[in-house]
């Protein structure tokens, strides 16, 4: 039985100051190199450099391992020279204003196009009125008007001659102030006479009834011809207006063509077609373009809306969207209220980050995207179709507008940064995720420890101090920080890459150094920062400790008890974990129910804990009851545990309690136990070993160390030990002990201070051993059941 405790050097890795070749970190040349992430760097570089569709990237890892920084630095390092960047401009659709057109230009050409359009508009505003008011125009217009007036005159002259032949004349009869209508009336003594007057003349006997009737017939015939002539003159007026419009168009067309021709030079066919549409709109609505004012400016529809301008960009755009939402990512369309109705046009379209990053890179925090309704779905649709569809953002449809701009094709590489858990969720539940995010860059949270990585570690810390203007660390402080980095990983051969956590210790240590008027951060400052953080967060631990010390939770740290062992559990809050002892008991009797897991019966245990109980049953079957049936009813319980438990790290503890109850041998209460066990009886590594040891140590220390107390851990956990200095000092003084145990036999021997006993050739165990006593008790139970003819 090997019961020798571990020596202090095995309980904590101590970093020698001589491992660093500087006196203080300010002696180190600042560097921004990426440390310990070779695998992730290769993946990031591959994802950024492959231009194919679907090679978007998802960067996973623990926050603070440099994911975003690494992506940015690699982007700075690779060739991001822009060759095919585009400017995007929306213009009015002359055929359907509800569907603005998207024009694409090479980088810089969009800005030039906008400038050219604005110059052309100013020229058109000046030249169209000038041409239409020119002397040539006036001369041709007078000639045309004179020509049509002559035609009208000939039409009316023919009618006047016929009317005169019948003694009638064409007159304008007033019908309202300033208004007249044409009519034909008899002429007597060179004056037109109305039919009212003619009727009076009949009454006076000046003309006969027959004559009046004759006048009426002639009037009816002539008035019909007058109406026909009047319609003909109106038609002539319409023809005149058409001829005038044709004249205007013919005169002004060369001017418009000359001005707009510059908009076709150097642009693609779609732009040229738009310019032709501009020309057509102007020529068909010349009257509207003659009078321009602030209230009425028909040229507004020609104003281009340049929503993406890469004129001054020489490299591919790299956009980090800090606050992604529907508007910031995909853009929107603004609205104004006109006559109590929402109105939008092409000038109100606004680009989002995806369009601004077109041809380049867009970096997003994945959690920010998925936590917003429909944002993830829209992003996936956009990447799948390589197209951005602009829509007004109005999820409640409070201000609907009928405008649907033309979609824009994009080529943007999206870099998502998120946790491994979120990556797994998306991969499992979104079938398109794997097709659109083909590259995963997984950032490690630790790196192997050797001379080079320790030097790299110091370089990173020195760079943080330099960038944030913190006091430099001396070598002892760097060594203390490296020891904490080992503690974070839980491996003595690994260094943590969670530099955000480590930087917090450096900043807080710098605060304590400054408060002591020190210009240098020392090891004491680092340790104080660590202890201060622990103190800030250990309120739950202190309350649990108070319950134990006050007797509210029953834990023995001295003496011996039958079937009772101190197990160890780890409790975690958001950013702090601590260990505490928990009493585990076992009761046994003859029976056939096997091992009863009280936690499982109370529905307080998880599947892994249940598996651990089944492994214990397998251990009993393998080590005992080879020639008799295992006739046992046993109950195992975590005493005073009222929450759910899971995991198998207490399975060895449960087995020790069961062996104690079966053998009748009491167990030392000054020892606490942790470790998983397999069916063969070998102890397996568990998590939280440092917290568990320190938790039991604190309980023993508060009650008073006796020199007989300690913790048993699996041998496989030796390389995880990075215990506090308090534990280390107690071990050095012989007041506390840590034992590394390989097997159940070794552990039960230490707990009961009696040898476990090896299996003899005849298949039995020595009588005065733990295994011998257990075997005898189990055999007795089988015989008891047989004698009572017990049947389940």
């Amino acid at each position: 039985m090997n019961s020798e405790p571990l020596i202090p050097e095995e309980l904590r890795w101590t970093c020698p100051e001589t491992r660093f070749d500087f006196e203080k970190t300010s002696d180190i040349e600042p560097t921004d190199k990426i440390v310990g992430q070779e695998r992730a760097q290769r993946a990031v570089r591959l994802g950024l450099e492959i231009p194919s569709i679907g090679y978007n990237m998802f960067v996973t890892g623990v926050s603070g391992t440099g994911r975003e920084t690494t992506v940015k630095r690699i982007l700075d390092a690779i060739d991001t020279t822009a060759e095919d960047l585009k400017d995007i401009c929306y213009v009015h659709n002359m055929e359907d204003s509800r569907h603005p057109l998207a024009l694409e230009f090479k980088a810089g050409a969009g800005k030039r196009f906008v400038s050219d359009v604005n110059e052309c508009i100013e020229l058109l505003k000046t030249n169209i009125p000038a041409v239409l008011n020119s002397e040539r125009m006036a001369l041709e217009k007078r000639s045309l008007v004179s020509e049509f007036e002559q035609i009208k005159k000939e039409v009316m002259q023919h009618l006047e001659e016929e009317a005169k032949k019948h003694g009638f004349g064409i007159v304008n009869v007033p019908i309202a102030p300033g208004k007249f209508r044409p009519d034909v009336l008899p002429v007597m003594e060179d004056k037109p006479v109305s039919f009212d007057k003619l009727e009076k003349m009949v009454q006076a006997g000046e003309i006969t009834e027959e004559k009046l009737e004759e006048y009426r017939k002639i009037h009816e015939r002539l008035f019909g011809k007058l109406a026909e002539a009047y319609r003909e003159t109106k038609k002539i007026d319409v023809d005149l207006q058409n001829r005038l419009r044709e004249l205007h168009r013919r005169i002004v067309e060369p001017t418009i063509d000359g001005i707009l021709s510059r908009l076709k030079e150097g642009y693609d066919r779609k732009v040229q077609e738009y310019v032709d549409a501009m020309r057509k709109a102007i020529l068909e609505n010349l009257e509207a373009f003659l009078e321009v004012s602030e209230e009425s400016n028909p040229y507004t529809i020609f104003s281009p809306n340049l929503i993406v301008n890469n004129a001054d960009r020489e490299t591919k755009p790299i956009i980090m969207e800090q606050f992604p939402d529907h508007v910031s990512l995909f853009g929107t369309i603004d609205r104004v209220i006109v006559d109590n109705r929402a109105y939008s046009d092409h000038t109100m379209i606004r680009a989002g980050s995806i369009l601004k990053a077109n041809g380049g890179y867009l970096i997003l925090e994945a959690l920010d995207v998925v936590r917003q309704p429909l944002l993830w779905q829209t992003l996936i649709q956009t990447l799948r179709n390589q197209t951005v569809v602009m829509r007004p953002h109005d999820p409640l449809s409070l201000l609907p507008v009928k405008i649907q701009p033309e979609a824009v094709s994009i080529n943007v590489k999206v870099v998502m940064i998120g946790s491994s858990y979120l990556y797994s969720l998306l991969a499992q539940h979104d079938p398109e995720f794997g097709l659109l995010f083909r590259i995963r860059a997984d950032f490690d949270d630790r790196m192997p420890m050797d001379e080079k990585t320790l030097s790299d570690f110091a370089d990173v810390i020195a760079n943080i101090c330099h960038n944030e203007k913190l006091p430099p660390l001396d070598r002892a402080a760097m060594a203390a920080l490296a020891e904490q980095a080992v503690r974070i990983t839980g491996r003595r051969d690994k260094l943590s890459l969670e530099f955000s956590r480590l930087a917090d210790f450096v900043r807080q240590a710098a605060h304590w150094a400054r408060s002591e008027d020190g210009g240098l951060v020392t090891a004491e400052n680092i340790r104080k920062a660590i202890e201060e953080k622990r103190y800030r967060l250990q309120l739950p631990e202190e309350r649990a400790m108070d319950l134990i010390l006050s007797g509210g939770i029953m834990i023995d740290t001295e003496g011996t008890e039958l079937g009772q062992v101190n197990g160890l559990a780890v409790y975690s809050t958001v950013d702090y974990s601590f260990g505490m002892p928990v009493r585990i008991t076992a009761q046994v009797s003859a029976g056939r129910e096997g091992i009863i897991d009280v936690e499982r019966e109370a529905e307080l245990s998880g599947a892994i804990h249940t598996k651990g109980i089944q492994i214990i049953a397998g251990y009993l079957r393998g080590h005992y009851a080879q020639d008799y049936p295992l006739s046992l009813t046993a109950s195992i319980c975590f005493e005073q545990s009222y929450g759910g438990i899971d995991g198998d790290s207490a399975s060895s503890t449960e087995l020790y309690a069961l062996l104690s109850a079966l053998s009748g041998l009491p167990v030392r209460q000054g020892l606490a136990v942790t470790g998983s066990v397999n069916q063969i009886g070998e102890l397996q590594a568990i998590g939280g070993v440092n917290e568990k040891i320190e938790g039991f140590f604190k309980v023993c220390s508060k009650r008073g160390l006796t020199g007989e107390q300690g913790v048993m851990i699996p041998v496989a956990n030796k390389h995880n030990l990075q215990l506090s200095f308090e534990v280390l000092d107690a071990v050095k003084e012989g007041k506390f002990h840590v034992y590394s145990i390989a097997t159940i036999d070794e552990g039960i021997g230490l707990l009961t201070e009696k040898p476990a006993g090896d299996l003899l050739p005849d298949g039995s165990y020595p009588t005065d051993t733990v295994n011998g006593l257990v075997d005898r008790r189990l055999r007795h139970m089988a015989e008891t059941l047989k004698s009572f003819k017990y049947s389940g």
Side-chain angles (χ1 to χ4, degrees):
M1 177 177 64
N2 178 20
S3 58
E4 292 299 318
L6 298 177
I7 61 176
E9 289 75 16
E10 295 178 290
L11 302 180
R12 180 182 178 90
W13 172 74
T14 302
C15 181
E17 297 179 25
T18 55
R19 299 286 290 270
F20 303 107
D21 58 357
F22 58 86
E23 293 299 323
K24 55 184 183 296
T25 54
S26 56
D27 298 337
I28 301 175
E29 189 69 25
T31 177
D32 59 355
K33 65 182 178 182
I34 302 165
V35 172
Q37 301 292 359
E38 288 75 14
R39 186 194 317 276
Q41 287 185 70
R42 289 173 62 177
V44 170
R45 185 176 292 274
L46 178 68
L48 293 177
E49 291 181 344
I50 293 180
S52 303
I53 294 174
Y55 276 83
N56 300 294
M57 181 165 47
F58 201 104
V59 181
T60 60
V62 177
S63 179
T65 52
R67 298 171 300 176
E68 181 180 330
T69 301
T70 300
V71 171
K72 289 181 177 179
R73 288 180 183 173
I74 292 178
L75 281 170
D76 290 339
I78 66 176
D79 183 12
T80 58
T81 304
E83 298 178 354
D84 55 354
L85 292 184
K86 295 179 181 180
D87 294 340
I88 301 172
C89 182
Y90 273 103
V91 294
H92 181 76
N93 187 337
M94 306 301 173
E95 296 181 358
D96 189 347
S97 60
R98 296 173 301 174
H99 300 284
L101 301 176
L103 303 181
E104 297 182 3
F105 304 88
K106 292 183 178 179
K111 182 178 180 180
R112 177 166 62 86
F113 176 75
V114 171
S115 177
D116 289 346
V117 170
N118 290 333
E119 288 182 16
C120 288
I121 288 175
E122 293 304 316
L123 289 173
L124 291 170
K125 286 181 180 178
T126 303
N127 284 271
I128 289 178
V131 170
L132 295 180
N133 294 323
S134 65
E135 184 64 29
R136 176 190 172 190
M137 181 66 193
L139 183 62
E140 292 200 28
K141 183 177 180 180
R142 284 197 298 271
S143 174
L144 191 61
V145 170
S146 176
E147 176 184 343
F148 276 80
E149 285 297 327
Q150 181 61 35
I151 296 173
K152 287 170 61 178
K153 183 177 180 181
E154 290 177 356
V155 170
M156 297 306 296
Q157 184 176 359
H158 179 75
L159 182 61
E160 286 175 354
E161 289 177 354
E162 184 176 356
K164 186 176 181 180
K165 178 180 178 181
H166 293 87
F168 277 72
I170 299 175
V171 298
N172 287 320
V173 178
I175 57 176
K179 293 185 177 181
F180 302 88
R181 65 173 177 82
D183 202 351
V184 286
L185 296 176
V187 177
M188 294 181 179
E189 298 179 357
D190 297 328
K191 292 181 180 180
V193 180
S194 68
F195 279 90
D196 290 341
K197 189 174 182 180
L198 288 175
E199 289 178 353
K200 291 179 180 179
M201 292 175 67
V202 170
Q203 294 174 358
E206 295 179 15
I207 61 173
T208 64
E209 284 285 349
E210 290 77 8
K211 189 64 175 176
L212 177 60
E213 185 62 28
E214 181 182 351
Y215 280 142
R216 283 183 173 141
K217 291 180 179 180
I218 295 173
H219 174 269
E220 184 178 354
R221 186 174 68 255
L222 291 176
F223 189 81
K225 292 185 176 183
L226 175 62
E228 184 179 348
Y230 185 76
R231 286 194 294 271
E232 188 173 350
T233 58
K234 289 299 180 182
K235 182 180 177 182
I236 292 171
D237 286 338
V238 171
D239 291 342
L240 173 61
Q241 293 303 316
N242 291 335
R243 290 286 297 277
L244 286 174
R245 277 193 288 271
E246 291 177 2
L247 173 63
H248 291 168
R249 180 168 179 165
R250 178 171 55 82
I251 295 297
V252 82
E253 190 171 14
T255 301
I256 295 174
D257 288 345
I259 293 173
L260 295 182
S261 63
R262 63 186 302 177
L263 293 180
K264 293 186 175 183
E265 297 173 0
Y267 297 113
D268 63 19
R269 182 176 179 180
K270 188 173 182 180
V271 175
Q272 294 174 0
E273 290 175 351
Y274 169 70
V275 175
D276 289 338
M278 285 179 62
R279 173 183 180 275
K280 180 180 179 182
I282 295 172
L283 290 175
E284 290 181 352
N285 300 275
L286 276 174
E287 293 82 358
F289 290 92
L290 283 174
E291 298 181 5
V292 178
S293 63
E294 293 183 1
E295 295 77 15
S296 176
N297 183 5
Y299 289 98
T300 301
I301 63 172
F302 300 141
S303 297
N305 180 14
L306 186 62
I307 62 171
V308 177
N309 178 16
N310 288 309
D312 301 322
R313 183 177 295 280
E314 297 180 355
T315 58
K316 296 178 181 179
I318 301 171
I319 295 180
M320 177 71 190
E321 183 53 66
Q322 301 282 2
F323 304 98
D325 57 25
H326 197 281
V327 173
S328 65
L329 276 184
F330 304 107
T332 188
I333 305 173
D334 296 336
R335 285 153 290 185
V336 296
I337 303 301
V338 178
D339 296 331
N340 295 321
R341 297 181 63 183
Y343 169 79
S344 294
D345 61 29
H346 72 282
T347 63
M348 300 179 184
I349 300 172
R350 304 289 177 259
S353 298
I354 286 186
L355 276 181
K356 294 176 182 177
N358 191 24
Y361 309 91
L362 177 61
I363 304 172
L364 297 168
E365 281 287 346
L367 188 60
D368 291 339
V369 177
V370 299
R371 62 162 44 119
Q372 298 190 50
L374 301 181
L375 194 58
W376 174 260
Q377 178 183 341
T378 306
L379 178 62
I380 289 296
Q381 291 171 341
T382 300
L383 295 179
R384 181 215 307 145
N385 297 304
Q386 294 286 288
T387 302
V388 172
V389 178
M390 306 293 294
R391 293 287 185 268
H393 185 61
D394 186 14
L396 299 180
S397 299
L398 298 177
L399 297 171
V401 290
K402 296 180 180 179
I403 181 172
Q404 296 180 353
E406 183 180 7
V408 178
S409 297
I410 59 167
N411 180 21
V412 61
K413 188 175 292 292
V414 175
V415 180
M416 284 280 194
I417 299 176
S419 66
S420 297
Y421 176 69
L422 181 56
Y423 177 89
S424 298
L425 283 180
L426 293 172
Q428 291 172 15
H429 297 288
D430 191 334
E432 294 184 281
F433 177 75
L435 299 175
L436 295 173
F437 290 87
R438 296 176 183 268
I439 297 294
R440 177 184 182 182
D442 197 11
F443 277 67
D444 204 345
D445 62 351
R446 62 194 62 189
M447 62 180 174
M449 183 170 57
D450 53 36
E451 293 293 334
K452 181 180 183 306
T453 55
L454 264 177
S455 176
D456 291 340
F457 177 85
D459 289 346
V460 174
I461 300 301
N463 193 56
I464 292 172
C465 293
H466 172 78
N467 292 338
E468 299 187 18
K469 296 181 172 53
L470 300 175
L473 278 66
D474 63 18
R475 289 197 296 178
M478 185 63 73
L481 190 64
E483 292 171 14
Q484 182 62 19
V486 168
R487 167 80 180 216
I488 290 173
T489 65
R491 287 278 299 272
R492 298 177 65 177
D493 57 348
K494 302 287 184 181
L495 281 170
S496 175
L497 291 171
E498 296 183 58
F499 287 109
S500 63
R501 292 177 63 181
L502 295 166
D504 281 341
F505 291 124
V506 174
R507 296 182 189 107
Q508 293 163 33
H511 166 75
W512 296 119
R514 286 167 175 157
S515 66
E516 298 169 0
D517 297 325
L520 201 63
V521 176
T522 64
E524 289 72 23
N525 298 139
I526 293 291
R527 291 180 184 129
K528 183 172 183 178
I530 295 169
E531 289 304 317
E532 285 290 326
K533 180 179 181 180
R534 181 178 298 151
Y535 177 74
R536 290 195 302 271
L537 301 174
Q538 66 181 177
L539 181 58
E541 180 182 13
E542 290 180 355
R543 289 181 174 173
M545 180 70 69
D546 184 63
L547 286 172
I548 292 175
L549 298 178
S550 66
I553 294 178
M554 293 185 288
I555 297 293
D556 292 330
T557 54
E558 296 182 58
T560 60
E561 293 290 342
L562 183 66
Q564 177 179 301
V565 183
N566 288 323
L568 294 169
V570 174
Y571 301 90
S572 297
T573 59
V574 175
D575 47 7
Y576 183 65
S577 297
F578 61 92
M580 279 290 156
V582 57
R583 176 177 288 179
I584 298 176
T585 61
Q587 293 292 328
V588 298
S589 68
R592 292 182 177 174
E593 295 185 24
I595 300 176
I596 300 172
D597 180 4
V598 174
E599 312 305 319
R600 181 185 179 188
E601 295 299 316
E603 298 183 350
L604 291 175
S605 70
I608 298 177
H609 179 263
T610 301
K611 177 183 176 183
I613 295 294
Q614 298 301 315
I615 288 173
I616 292 174
Y619 173 88
L620 294 178
R621 287 191 295 270
H623 283 70
Y624 315 104
Q626 296 298 301
D627 56 353
Y628 57 88
L630 187 61
S631 306
L632 167 71
T633 295
S635 61
I636 298 177
C637 179
F638 278 65
E639 302 292 352
Q640 293 184 282
S641 173
Y642 307 110
I645 63 170
D646 201 5
D648 63 350
S649 65
S651 58
S652 66
T653 313
E654 294 166 316
L655 180 52
Y656 290 137
L658 185 58
L659 293 177
S660 171
L662 287 169
S663 66
L665 296 173
V667 171
R668 293 169 58 186
Q669 299 300 294
L671 293 178
V673 179
T674 185
S676 168
V677 66
N678 61 27
Q679 292 190 106
I680 302 172
E682 298 169 328
L683 294 187
Q684 302 166 146
I686 46 84
V689 65
N690 293 300
E691 289 82 0
K692 291 177 178 179
I693 294 172
E694 290 167 358
F696 188 65
F697 169 79
K698 289 177 183 178
V699 173
C700 296
S701 179
K702 293 286 185 181
R703 289 180 171 174
L705 296 173
T706 65
E708 298 296 324
Q709 296 148 329
V711 175
M712 293 164 46
I713 66 170
V715 169
N717 279 116
K718 283 179 63 175
H719 70 286
N720 301 118
L721 293 175
Q722 188 71 1
L723 294 171
S724 65
F725 288 104
E726 292 83 359
V727 177
L728 207 62
D729 292 340
V731 170
K732 289 178 181 178
E733 296 171 6
K735 296 180 179 179
F736 195 77
H737 311 283
V738 178
Y739 301 91
S740 63
I741 306 300
T743 65
I744 289 294
D745 283 352
E746 186 180 343
I748 196 64
L750 185 61
L751 285 169
T752 61
E753 298 183 309
K754 185 179 284 290
D758 296 328
L759 188 66
L760 298 175
D762 62 358
S764 65
Y765 291 97
T767 303
D768 194 25
T769 63
V770 177
N771 287 329
L773 294 171
V774 171
D775 184 62
R776 186 167 62 188
R777 179 73 181 277
L778 290 172
R779 189 179 297 275
H780 176 72
M781 287 179 177
E783 292 172 352
T784 300
L785 279 180
K786 182 179 179 180
S787 65
F788 277 93
K789 296 182 179 180
Y790 178 81
S791 61

